[in-house]
Amino acid sequence: MIDIHTHILPGIDDGSKNSEMSVQMLEKLKEEGVTDVVLTPHFYASQNSVEKFLARRQVGFEHLMAALENRHVGIRLHLGAEVLFMDSLDKVDGLGDMAIRGTKYLLLEMPFTKWSSRNLDTVYKIQCNGFTPIIAHFERYIGFNGGLNEIRELKKMGCILQMNAESFQGFFTKRKSLKFFDEHLASLLGSDTHNLESRPPKIKFAYDAIREKLGEPGVERILYRGRRVLEKSEFVEV
Ligand SMILES: [Fe+2]
């Protein structure tokens, strides 16, 4: 299994507090059967320069590597970021360093307010710069932005839509989530884990729910798309 969206890197955002917690989070995902984890700490271009963010991310990564020394977790780590949308995001220098390393896939967090056509224009400009946006937890914007139309528009534009595993909790949200995968609107799954308790490293139950409803091909499609995203990515095996 692939977890495309996590906040496991220690001490960089509101995710893992320290490297020991990060190791435990990785071990939990490994127990679930996850083979690949993308590390996607929050990046806010309005508050932080790319350089500063990359330096902090590197420090977090080195702390994690030190904590993992002599412990074979058996998982591949891919460095990335969760980039918060802003109007001039397409003009931010160094955006390429925010993509999943070695690829042109950019995990993009959209605003939790009503979107204007300008928002979609900016996404289009980011695409014109050569990136393929992966829209983080797209299901969380529904209701904030007035409906599914904008989400469907992003899909039509060629964005990849990622859903959080937690959407498979609860009868009605689970039913809706399955429908999004059934109609091929949703493409990828992530745990978006931030810690061990309130936002835990759990993703298997979501893959299992998809398998139960859509059969093995339903799961295989998600894994195939994930592998396509990570194909060219530079990873570290730990
Ligand atoms: Fe996130």
Side-chain angles (χ1 to χ4, degrees), residues 164-183:
N164 276 3
E166 66 190 352
S167 303
F168 285 81
Q169 285 166 345
F171 181 77
F172 291 107
T173 49
K174 179 178 166 186
R175 198 167 65 178
K176 201 157 59 173
S177 303
L178 286 168
K179 196 165 161 276
F180 287 147
F181 275 102
D182 194 21
E183 65 182 50

Side-chain angles (χ1 to χ4, degrees), residues 5 7 42 82 192 194:
H5 181 167
H7 298 269
H42 291 287
E82 180 179 11
D192 199 3
H194 280 62

Side-chain angles (χ1 to χ4, degrees), residues 119-172:
N119 293 145
L120 299 191
D121 284 350
T122 302
V123 175
Y124 176 68
K125 285 179 196 159
I126 292 169
Q127 289 179 297
C128 291
N129 291 343
F131 299 103
T132 300
I134 298 174
I135 306 300
H137 41 61
F138 75 92
E139 74 283 3
R140 289 179 59 192
Y141 314 117
I142 298 168
F144 283 97
N145 70 1
L148 263 175
N149 291 343
E150 289 85 349
I151 298 280
R152 291 194 192 282
E153 190 57 34
L154 286 175
K155 172 88 176 179
K156 261 193 254 164
M157 287 160 60
C159 295
I160 297 172
L161 303 184
Q162 178 257 314
M163 180 170 270
N164 276 3
E166 66 190 352
S167 303
F168 285 81
Q169 285 166 345
F171 181 77
F172 291 107

Side-chain angles (χ1 to χ4, degrees), residues 9-220:
L9 266 193
I12 181 162
D13 60 5
D14 57 342
S16 172
K17 299 250 178 297
N18 54 57
S19 44
E20 191 47 44
M21 187 195 261
S22 304
V23 172
Q24 286 181 43
M25 290 163 88
L26 287 173
E27 284 173 343
K28 289 256 186 257
L29 287 174
K30 176 64 186 176
E31 276 167 34
E32 293 218 324
V34 171
T35 56
D36 292 82
V37 168
V38 186
L39 304 164
T40 53
H42 291 287
F43 171 65
Y44 306 115
S46 60
Q47 297 171 14
N48 227 322
S49 71
V50 168
E51 293 72 26
K52 276 190 186 151
F53 174 83
L54 291 177
R56 286 176 53 232
R57 189 179 71 174
Q58 187 59 25
V59 170
F61 188 66
E62 281 167 16
H63 282 154
L64 179 59
M65 287 300 111
L68 284 165
E69 216 179 352
N70 304 322
R71 287 154 95 161
H72 180 68
V73 180
I75 222 161
R76 286 184 287 268
L77 297 180
H78 309 257
L79 265 179
E82 180 179 11
V83 178
L84 183 64
F85 177 92
M86 64 175 196
D87 275 338
S88 53
L89 189 63
D90 57 300
K91 295 187 183 73
V92 169
D93 281 336
L95 203 57
D97 290 318
M98 296 294 122
I100 299 173
R101 198 188 258 182
T103 77
K104 286 288 189 182
Y105 295 98
L106 190 75
L107 186 65
L108 189 60
E109 180 174 34
M110 294 298 287
F112 287 95
T113 49
K114 190 168 170 57
W115 302 350
S116 67
S117 58
R118 255 182 51 201
N119 293 145
L120 299 191
D121 284 350
T122 302
V123 175
Y124 176 68
K125 285 179 196 159
I126 292 169
Q127 289 179 297
C128 291
N129 291 343
F131 299 103
T132 300
I134 298 174
I135 306 300
H137 41 61
F138 75 92
E139 74 283 3
R140 289 179 59 192
Y141 314 117
I142 298 168
F144 283 97
N145 70 1
L148 263 175
N149 291 343
E150 289 85 349
I151 298 280
R152 291 194 192 282
E153 190 57 34
L154 286 175
K155 172 88 176 179
K156 261 193 254 164
M157 287 160 60
C159 295
I160 297 172
L161 303 184
Q162 178 257 314
M163 180 170 270
N164 276 3
E166 66 190 352
S167 303
F168 285 81
Q169 285 166 345
F171 181 77
F172 291 107
T173 49
K174 179 178 166 186
R175 198 167 65 178
K176 201 157 59 173
S177 303
L178 286 168
K179 196 165 161 276
F180 287 147
F181 275 102
D182 194 21
E183 65 182 50
H184 304 283
L185 186 69
S187 290
L188 295 171
L189 259 181
S191 68
D192 199 3
T193 179
H194 280 62
N195 52 50
L196 290 159
E197 292 86 25
S198 59
R199 301 187 75 180
K202 281 184 152 202
I203 195 166
K204 182 174 180 290
F205 75 101
Y207 276 106
D208 286 346
I210 291 165
R211 181 177 291 105
E212 199 182 307
K213 174 77 177 171
L214 306 175
E216 201 56 40
V219 170
E220 262 313 310

